[in-house]
Amino acid sequence: MKKALITGGMGYIGSHTVVELHEAGYDIVIVDNLSNSRLFILNHLEKICKKKITFYELDLCDLEKVEALFVTEKHFDVVVHFAAYKAVGESVEQPLKYYQNNLTSLTNVLVCMEKYACQNIVFSSSCTVYGFPKQLPVTEETPFQKALSAYGSTKQMGEDILEKVVYNKKIKVIALRYFNPVGAHHSALIGELPLGKPNNLMPFITQTAIGKQDQLNVWGNDYDTPDGSCIRDYIHVVDLAKAHVKSCDRMLQKNTNDDFEVFNVGTGKGISVLEMIHIFEQENKVKINFKIANRREGDAIVMYADTIKANSVLGWKAEKNLSDMVIDSWRWEQNVASFLTTV
Ligand code: NAD
Ligand code: WQD
């Protein structure tokens, strides 16, 4: 059986990927320090997978503990490295927290992979590496712009570290640049768990719909877009998870063209903030209390992916539509409060 180490596997995208990799026949080991997750997720993953899952609660910044894990588990065919802090605003306020966690955890994993002969890593990168892109849609060749936050900088640096590491011919990399993940597993047993007040659009919409937030601010309706609000490429988290299965399979079947490969993972379609609110209201038959507010500093106006490379080379394509995204996000929001109080 193919064995995968999933770092950050208790988190939003990691947990959905655990399910998809399990369904694809991978044996899973999760490492997470629960800095942005809760233990009930493990229980729910076991319910979905109908199987006990090996879980290590540890901080990947602790090299000795990471080494001990590699020794105990003996062998991994592939590592899928999700573990990182991801709050853009917080990273501006506390940059060192982000450099320390996101880069130390990555280098510790790489040191152990090299030492214990694990060849393959799939890395969570982000569309944030493109900054304010000068061309749309963004292709994998679109040049990086200067990172606007320490978070964005850790993703650019993470890719740079990986690109250098492959020169030793011991490690191969697939970096996936995610666009805007939304939605949840159809079971509504796993989903996104924002800490405190959400920054991202979808959890803010769902929390406003359920009454946890009074009002959603739409950050600007005077942009040069058809309805004046910003445009993004929203991707269902289950589709995104499946891109990781394709990446792991590609590496294990030795199908890669290069030791360092990069793919954009989005739908290729841009949706505005106002469109998203209207689709959410229409599909879920709920009203969102929103108002138009000033522009948010640092927002790109339009961002969507060119997915030709992911479609043709990785053999992956987003299958879920906007209706799936808003329905699954809402179903999760309606359940999550009960999970948080019971465990
Ligand atoms: P998440 O916070 O839900 O999951 C990350 C998990 O990593 C959490 O469970 C957290 O507890 C764990 N973790 C963090 N630091 C750790 C450490 N030092 N040791 C062990 N565990 C640690 O985030 P997510 O949305 O699932 O994102 C996963 C990855 O994808 C991240 O690398 C993120 O930067 C990247 N990404 C996310 C988005 C997004 O919008 N969600 C977009 C692009 C890229
Ligand atoms: C989407 C749109 C907002 C909240 C972030 C990270 C990026 C990547 C993806 C990790 C924007 C608007 C939002 C609200 C709003 N993550 N909005 N009211 O900014 O595209 O990207 O997630 O790598 O690094 O920066 O996502 O969900 O914050 O915003 O009007 O309350 O929704 O202005 O146009 P963003 P988002």
Side-chain angles (χ1 to χ4, degrees):
M1 206 177 197
K2 306 160 284 186
K3 187 169 168 186
L5 173 64
I6 316 295
T7 77
M10 297 283 279
Y12 175 42
I13 307 166
S15 57
H16 289 81
T17 303
V18 165
V19 172
E20 297 306 316
L21 283 170
H22 162 74
E23 283 175 10
Y26 284 79
D27 186 19
I28 305 292
V29 173
I30 298 178
V31 170
D32 201 300
N33 64 357
L34 301 180
S35 57
N36 198 29
S37 184
R38 301 281 287 269
L39 206 48
F40 79 82
I41 294 288
L42 180 64
N43 182 266
H44 287 196
L45 281 172
E46 291 178 342
K47 263 191 199 155
I48 298 169
C49 298
K50 300 189 183 65
K51 186 181 185 282
K52 269 242 148 295
I53 293 173
T54 310
F55 169 57
Y56 291 82
E57 184 178 341
L58 68 82
D59 188 343
L60 291 160
C61 294
D62 185 335
L63 181 57
E64 269 179 34
K65 292 207 170 117
V66 185
E67 274 217 60
L69 157 81
F70 272 75
V71 170
T72 310
E73 287 295 328
K74 295 192 177 71
H75 175 71
F76 296 113
D77 294 292
V78 60
V79 174
V80 188
H81 183 60
F82 293 101
Y85 295 150
K86 63 165 180 180
V88 176
E90 185 187 59
S91 83
V92 174
E93 307 282 325
Q94 300 179 59
L96 287 174
K97 177 174 169 181
Y98 277 69
Y99 289 116
Q100 193 168 40
N101 189 57
N102 294 4
L103 299 179
T104 310
S105 58
L106 174 64
T107 51
N108 283 351
V109 167
L110 290 168
V111 165
C112 292
M113 285 177 65
E114 215 178 84
K115 189 158 173 189
Y116 297 100
C118 171
Q119 267 195 325
N120 304 303
I121 181 166
V122 180
F123 175 67
S124 295
S125 189
S126 166
C127 63
T128 197
V129 297
Y130 298 115
F132 293 149
K134 295 208 172 92
Q135 69 180 74
L136 285 162
V138 283
T139 75
E140 289 79 359
E141 303 307 315
T142 301
F144 289 3
Q145 301 293 326
K146 194 172 170 55
L148 295 162
S149 67
Y151 168 73
S153 158
T154 67
K155 290 297 167 190
Q156 292 183 344
M157 290 166 87
E159 283 200 24
D160 193 41
I161 290 168
L162 289 162
E163 202 172 355
K164 304 279 186 298
V165 161
V166 300
Y167 283 110
N168 68 10
K169 293 284 168 203
K170 290 183 182 158
I171 288 176
K172 291 179 199 289
V173 177
I174 292 184
L176 299 179
R177 294 180 184 152
Y178 315 152
F179 280 67
N180 290 58
V182 295
H185 192 256
H186 62 83
S187 65
L189 287 169
I190 53 172
E192 189 170 7
L193 288 172
L195 271 185
K197 206 172 183 158
N199 289 308
N200 294 116
L201 179 64
M202 188 56 81
F204 217 107
I205 290 180
T206 59
Q207 289 197 7
T208 307
I210 210 153
K212 263 193 228 168
Q213 305 296 336
D214 294 335
Q215 192 169 47
L216 166 73
N217 287 310
V218 172
W219 303 125
N221 71 343
D222 55 355
Y223 287 103
D224 184 15
T225 61
D227 65 19
S229 64
C230 291
I231 290 175
R232 294 289 183 275
D233 186 340
Y234 297 93
I235 163 101
H236 196 291
V237 66
V238 171
D239 277 335
L240 177 53
K242 288 180 176 163
H244 295 79
V245 178
K246 288 280 186 189
S247 303
C248 292
D249 288 349
R250 180 173 172 82
M251 295 184 116
L252 299 198
Q253 289 158 10
K254 305 205 182 303
N255 282 339
T256 53
N257 298 327
D258 250 311
D259 290 348
F260 179 80
E261 289 189 325
V262 182
F263 297 98
N264 282 343
V265 190
T267 62
K269 291 186 205 81
I271 298 295
S272 78
V273 176
L274 291 170
E275 278 175 313
M276 188 55 110
I277 294 170
H278 292 138
I279 292 161
F280 188 93
E281 291 185 324
Q282 196 184 313
E283 294 294 320
N284 292 315
K285 317 244 172 324
V286 284
K287 286 303 278 176
I288 305 296
N289 180 25
F290 72 90
K291 74 167 198 303
I292 305 299
N294 290 335
R295 293 178 177 196
R296 181 172 73 175
E297 207 187 318
D299 260 336
I301 305 171
V302 182
M303 176 76 97
Y304 59 98
D306 182 312
T307 59
I308 291 173
K309 189 175 174 200
N311 300 162
S312 59
V313 180
L314 189 60
W316 169 91
K317 198 173 189 327
E319 283 164 1
K320 293 189 180 277
N321 58 27
L322 279 166
S323 164
D324 301 319
M325 297 183 207
V326 295
I327 289 172
D328 290 342
S329 297
W330 181 225
R331 198 186 299 120
W332 164 248
E333 182 65 64
Q334 289 171 290
N335 280 311
V336 70
S338 66
F339 302 148
L340 290 169
T341 50
T342 51
V343 187

Short mmCIF file of all heavy atoms in Angstrom, two decimals, residues 9-10 15 18-19 22 28 30 39-56 187 189-190:
data_model
loop_
_atom_site.label_atom_id
_atom_site.label_comp_id
_atom_site.label_asym_id
_atom_site.label_seq_id
_atom_site.Cartn_x
_atom_site.Cartn_y
_atom_site.Cartn_z
N GLY A 9 -2.87 17.75 8.32
CA GLY A 9 -3.99 16.92 7.84
C GLY A 9 -5.27 17.07 8.64
O GLY A 9 -6.32 16.53 8.25
N MET A 10 -5.20 17.79 9.77
CA MET A 10 -6.42 18.06 10.53
C MET A 10 -7.04 19.40 10.10
O MET A 10 -8.09 19.77 10.60
CB MET A 10 -6.09 18.11 12.02
CG MET A 10 -5.56 16.80 12.55
SD MET A 10 -6.88 15.62 12.80
CE MET A 10 -7.45 16.21 14.38
N SER A 15 -7.67 17.91 5.68
CA SER A 15 -8.64 16.87 6.08
C SER A 15 -9.40 16.34 4.86
O SER A 15 -9.64 15.12 4.74
CB SER A 15 -9.61 17.41 7.14
OG SER A 15 -10.29 18.54 6.66
N VAL A 18 -7.10 14.03 3.06
CA VAL A 18 -7.00 12.72 3.73
C VAL A 18 -8.09 11.79 3.20
O VAL A 18 -7.85 10.64 2.84
CB VAL A 18 -7.12 12.89 5.27
CG1 VAL A 18 -7.39 11.56 5.95
CG2 VAL A 18 -5.85 13.54 5.83
N VAL A 19 -9.30 12.31 3.11
CA VAL A 19 -10.43 11.48 2.65
C VAL A 19 -10.20 11.01 1.21
O VAL A 19 -10.36 9.82 0.90
CB VAL A 19 -11.76 12.29 2.73
CG1 VAL A 19 -12.90 11.54 2.07
CG2 VAL A 19 -12.09 12.62 4.18
N HIS A 22 -7.34 8.50 1.01
CA HIS A 22 -7.79 7.22 1.56
C HIS A 22 -8.63 6.47 0.52
O HIS A 22 -8.42 5.29 0.27
CB HIS A 22 -8.60 7.46 2.84
CG HIS A 22 -9.44 6.29 3.24
ND1 HIS A 22 -8.89 5.15 3.80
CD2 HIS A 22 -10.76 6.06 3.11
CE1 HIS A 22 -9.86 4.27 4.00
NE2 HIS A 22 -11.01 4.79 3.60
N ILE A 28 -2.69 6.43 5.36
CA ILE A 28 -2.47 7.83 5.78
C ILE A 28 -1.88 7.93 7.17
O ILE A 28 -2.34 7.25 8.10
CB ILE A 28 -3.83 8.58 5.81
CG1 ILE A 28 -4.57 8.47 4.47
CG2 ILE A 28 -3.66 10.02 6.26
CD1 ILE A 28 -3.93 9.19 3.33
N ILE A 30 -1.25 11.24 9.73
CA ILE A 30 -1.44 12.69 9.87
C ILE A 30 -0.54 13.25 10.96
O ILE A 30 -0.42 12.64 12.03
CB ILE A 30 -2.90 13.03 10.25
CG1 ILE A 30 -3.89 12.58 9.17
CG2 ILE A 30 -3.07 14.53 10.53
CD1 ILE A 30 -5.35 12.85 9.52
N LEU A 39 -9.65 18.35 17.75
CA LEU A 39 -9.52 16.90 17.73
C LEU A 39 -10.74 16.18 17.15
O LEU A 39 -10.62 15.08 16.61
CB LEU A 39 -9.23 16.41 19.16
CG LEU A 39 -8.48 15.10 19.31
CD1 LEU A 39 -7.25 15.02 18.42
CD2 LEU A 39 -8.10 14.87 20.77
N PHE A 40 -11.92 16.80 17.21
CA PHE A 40 -13.11 16.11 16.69
C PHE A 40 -12.97 15.82 15.20
O PHE A 40 -13.62 14.91 14.68
CB PHE A 40 -14.39 16.89 17.01
CG PHE A 40 -14.67 18.07 16.11
CD1 PHE A 40 -15.28 17.89 14.85
CD2 PHE A 40 -14.36 19.36 16.51
CE1 PHE A 40 -15.55 18.97 14.02
CE2 PHE A 40 -14.63 20.45 15.68
CZ PHE A 40 -15.22 20.24 14.44
N ILE A 41 -12.11 16.58 14.51
CA ILE A 41 -11.92 16.35 13.07
C ILE A 41 -11.39 14.93 12.84
O ILE A 41 -11.81 14.25 11.88
CB ILE A 41 -10.97 17.42 12.47
CG1 ILE A 41 -11.61 18.81 12.52
CG2 ILE A 41 -10.54 17.05 11.04
CD1 ILE A 41 -12.77 19.05 11.55
N LEU A 42 -10.52 14.46 13.72
CA LEU A 42 -9.95 13.11 13.55
C LEU A 42 -11.07 12.07 13.65
O LEU A 42 -11.18 11.16 12.82
CB LEU A 42 -8.89 12.85 14.63
CG LEU A 42 -8.24 11.47 14.57
CD1 LEU A 42 -7.45 11.30 13.27
CD2 LEU A 42 -7.33 11.22 15.77
N ASN A 43 -11.90 12.25 14.65
CA ASN A 43 -13.03 11.37 14.85
C ASN A 43 -13.95 11.36 13.60
O ASN A 43 -14.39 10.30 13.13
CB ASN A 43 -13.74 11.90 16.09
CG ASN A 43 -14.91 11.10 16.48
OD1 ASN A 43 -16.01 11.44 16.07
ND2 ASN A 43 -14.69 10.04 17.23
N HIS A 44 -14.17 12.54 13.04
CA HIS A 44 -15.03 12.64 11.86
C HIS A 44 -14.36 12.04 10.62
O HIS A 44 -15.02 11.43 9.79
CB HIS A 44 -15.41 14.11 11.61
CG HIS A 44 -16.41 14.62 12.61
ND1 HIS A 44 -17.14 15.76 12.44
CD2 HIS A 44 -16.81 14.11 13.80
CE1 HIS A 44 -17.94 15.94 13.47
NE2 HIS A 44 -17.74 14.96 14.32
N LEU A 45 -13.04 12.20 10.54
CA LEU A 45 -12.32 11.59 9.41
C LEU A 45 -12.45 10.07 9.49
O LEU A 45 -12.64 9.39 8.48
CB LEU A 45 -10.84 11.98 9.45
CG LEU A 45 -10.51 13.37 8.92
CD1 LEU A 45 -9.04 13.72 9.18
CD2 LEU A 45 -10.81 13.47 7.43
N GLU A 46 -12.36 9.55 10.71
CA GLU A 46 -12.46 8.09 10.89
C GLU A 46 -13.87 7.60 10.54
O GLU A 46 -14.04 6.52 9.98
CB GLU A 46 -12.04 7.71 12.31
CG GLU A 46 -10.53 7.92 12.49
CD GLU A 46 -10.00 7.61 13.89
OE1 GLU A 46 -10.81 7.56 14.84
OE2 GLU A 46 -8.77 7.43 14.01
N LYS A 47 -14.86 8.44 10.83
CA LYS A 47 -16.24 8.09 10.45
C LYS A 47 -16.37 8.04 8.93
O LYS A 47 -16.95 7.11 8.37
CB LYS A 47 -17.22 9.16 10.97
CG LYS A 47 -17.86 8.81 12.27
CD LYS A 47 -19.00 9.77 12.56
CE LYS A 47 -19.30 9.70 14.04
NZ LYS A 47 -19.92 10.90 14.56
N ILE A 48 -15.84 9.06 8.27
CA ILE A 48 -15.96 9.12 6.80
C ILE A 48 -15.19 7.97 6.16
O ILE A 48 -15.68 7.30 5.25
CB ILE A 48 -15.46 10.47 6.25
CG1 ILE A 48 -16.31 11.63 6.78
CG2 ILE A 48 -15.49 10.48 4.72
CD1 ILE A 48 -15.72 13.02 6.51
N CYS A 49 -13.97 7.74 6.66
CA CYS A 49 -13.09 6.73 6.04
C CYS A 49 -13.40 5.31 6.55
O CYS A 49 -12.85 4.34 6.02
CB CYS A 49 -11.63 7.06 6.30
SG CYS A 49 -11.10 8.63 5.59
N LYS A 50 -14.21 5.22 7.60
CA LYS A 50 -14.55 3.93 8.23
C LYS A 50 -13.27 3.17 8.57
O LYS A 50 -13.13 1.97 8.27
CB LYS A 50 -15.44 3.09 7.32
CG LYS A 50 -16.77 3.76 6.99
CD LYS A 50 -17.70 2.78 6.27
CE LYS A 50 -19.00 3.41 5.86
NZ LYS A 50 -18.90 4.47 4.85
N LYS A 51 -12.34 3.87 9.21
CA LYS A 51 -11.02 3.28 9.47
C LYS A 51 -10.32 4.12 10.53
O LYS A 51 -10.52 5.35 10.57
CB LYS A 51 -10.22 3.35 8.17
CG LYS A 51 -8.89 2.67 8.18
CD LYS A 51 -8.21 2.84 6.83
CE LYS A 51 -6.91 2.08 6.75
NZ LYS A 51 -5.81 2.68 7.41
N LYS A 52 -9.52 3.48 11.37
CA LYS A 52 -8.67 4.24 12.32
C LYS A 52 -7.57 4.94 11.53
O LYS A 52 -7.01 4.36 10.60
CB LYS A 52 -8.01 3.27 13.31
CG LYS A 52 -8.82 3.05 14.56
CD LYS A 52 -8.01 3.54 15.76
CE LYS A 52 -8.74 4.12 16.92
NZ LYS A 52 -9.49 5.30 16.88
N ILE A 53 -7.28 6.15 11.88
CA ILE A 53 -6.24 6.89 11.16
C ILE A 53 -5.11 7.22 12.14
O ILE A 53 -5.37 7.66 13.27
CB ILE A 53 -6.81 8.18 10.55
CG1 ILE A 53 -7.81 7.81 9.44
CG2 ILE A 53 -5.71 9.08 9.99
CD1 ILE A 53 -8.57 8.96 8.86
N THR A 54 -3.89 6.98 11.70
CA THR A 54 -2.74 7.27 12.57
C THR A 54 -2.53 8.78 12.64
O THR A 54 -2.40 9.44 11.61
CB THR A 54 -1.46 6.61 11.99
OG1 THR A 54 -1.78 5.25 11.71
CG2 THR A 54 -0.31 6.69 12.95
N PHE A 55 -2.52 9.28 13.87
CA PHE A 55 -2.38 10.74 14.06
C PHE A 55 -1.30 11.04 15.10
O PHE A 55 -1.31 10.48 16.19
CB PHE A 55 -3.72 11.33 14.53
CG PHE A 55 -3.61 12.76 14.99
CD1 PHE A 55 -3.10 13.75 14.15
CD2 PHE A 55 -4.00 13.13 16.27
CE1 PHE A 55 -2.98 15.07 14.57
CE2 PHE A 55 -3.89 14.45 16.71
CZ PHE A 55 -3.38 15.42 15.85
N TYR A 56 -0.38 11.93 14.75
CA TYR A 56 0.63 12.42 15.69
C TYR A 56 0.36 13.89 15.95
O TYR A 56 0.38 14.69 15.00
CB TYR A 56 2.04 12.31 15.08
CG TYR A 56 2.54 10.89 14.91
CD1 TYR A 56 2.17 10.13 13.81
CD2 TYR A 56 3.39 10.32 15.86
CE1 TYR A 56 2.63 8.83 13.64
CE2 TYR A 56 3.85 9.02 15.70
CZ TYR A 56 3.47 8.29 14.59
OH TYR A 56 3.92 7.00 14.43
N SER A 187 -20.66 15.20 3.48
CA SER A 187 -21.16 14.66 4.75
C SER A 187 -21.39 15.77 5.77
O SER A 187 -22.05 15.55 6.79
CB SER A 187 -20.13 13.68 5.33
OG SER A 187 -18.94 14.38 5.67
N LEU A 189 -19.25 16.70 7.78
CA LEU A 189 -18.52 16.31 9.00
C LEU A 189 -17.17 17.02 9.12
O LEU A 189 -16.59 17.09 10.19
CB LEU A 189 -18.30 14.79 9.02
CG LEU A 189 -19.54 13.95 9.32
CD1 LEU A 189 -19.28 12.47 9.06
CD2 LEU A 189 -20.01 14.16 10.76
N ILE A 190 -16.66 17.47 7.97
CA ILE A 190 -15.42 18.26 7.98
C ILE A 190 -15.63 19.51 7.12
O ILE A 190 -16.44 19.50 6.20
CB ILE A 190 -14.19 17.44 7.48
CG1 ILE A 190 -14.46 16.80 6.10
CG2 ILE A 190 -13.77 16.38 8.49
CD1 ILE A 190 -13.24 16.16 5.46
#
